[in-house]
Amino acid sequence: MFWNRSRKSKRGFILIYVLFIGLICIFISMGCYSMETLIKSDDLHDYKMSFKTDNIQKYREILITRLNEYINKSVSYHNDNDISKYFSNLKDFRICYQNSYVYYDKNSNTFKLEYIIDNKFCREETYEYTVNNGRIKYGCINYSI
């Protein structure tokens, strides 16, 4: 019944168990450490990407801001028809920023933005507009890549 007590254990047998359990603990701690470093590097990458500026977004913001300023200074508008009448009378309307520009398309009654970055065509976006409470709102309805 109590046969374990009658046997003698060999020397170093317990040392193997201690080494085995110690190695398991070391591997678990190394795994936790590597996971934490991956999380930190991912956070740093996201932090750096949040400050990176996209050229197309920058050009879009500048061109639409200039277009809005031009319309507010030049056109007295109360509805969509006032703006379309004004721009349909103009021959060649373009607002430029570097090589990119925005123009009025008379056929579809929309504004089109063409992005040319580093002398290469990047994208064309079509914006419709509405006038609500004396303010112009733009909405992208089509873009090409």
Side-chain angles (χ1 to χ4, degrees):
M1 210 155 131
F2 300 104
W3 48 273
N4 279 340
R5 291 183 181 225
S6 62
R7 272 195 194 166
K8 287 190 173 183
S9 62
K10 295 180 182 176
R11 289 190 125 182
F13 194 64
I14 295 176
L15 183 63
I16 292 174
Y17 284 129
V18 169
L19 288 176
F20 184 68
I21 292 172
L23 284 175
I24 290 174
C25 292
I26 288 173
F27 285 132
I28 289 173
S29 63
M30 286 177 58
C32 292
Y33 178 75
S34 67
M35 282 189 264
E36 289 297 321
T37 56
L38 287 174
I39 289 171
K40 181 171 177 144
S41 67
D42 190 38
D43 289 344
L44 284 174
H45 176 72
D46 290 343
Y47 179 75
K48 289 177 184 177
M49 289 300 290
S50 67
F51 291 110
K52 187 177 179 181
T53 59
D54 184 25
N55 285 336
I56 291 179
Q57 180 66 27
K58 177 183 172 185
Y59 285 26
R60 178 184 304 124
E61 183 176 333
I62 290 171
L63 287 171
I64 290 180
T65 302
R66 288 184 181 178
L67 173 67
N68 203 18
E69 288 175 356
Y70 178 81
I71 291 173
N72 286 335
K73 288 179 184 176
S74 303
V75 183
S76 59
Y77 59 88
H78 299 290
N79 57 16
D80 299 344
N81 293 331
D82 296 336
I83 295 174
S84 64
K85 286 178 188 176
Y86 178 80
F87 283 107
S88 62
N89 292 333
L90 295 176
K91 286 187 179 182
D92 187 27
F93 170 76
R94 286 182 189 235
I95 294 177
C96 298
Y97 175 72
Q98 294 185 359
N99 291 333
S100 301
Y101 55 90
V102 59
Y103 67 94
Y104 179 75
D105 186 16
K106 296 176 185 178
N107 298 332
S108 62
N109 191 22
T110 57
F111 290 104
K112 292 195 176 186
L113 276 73
E114 289 192 8
Y115 302 104
I116 300 171
I117 300 173
D118 297 329
N119 294 325
K120 295 179 185 174
F121 177 79
C122 290
R123 181 186 289 182
E124 180 183 53
E125 295 178 346
T126 305
Y127 284 89
E128 66 181 359
Y129 61 92
T130 58
V131 177
N132 291 330
N133 299 330
R135 300 182 82 189
I136 301 174
K137 294 185 179 179
Y138 303 98
C140 184
I141 56 174
N142 188 12
Y143 63 92
S144 65
I145 295 177

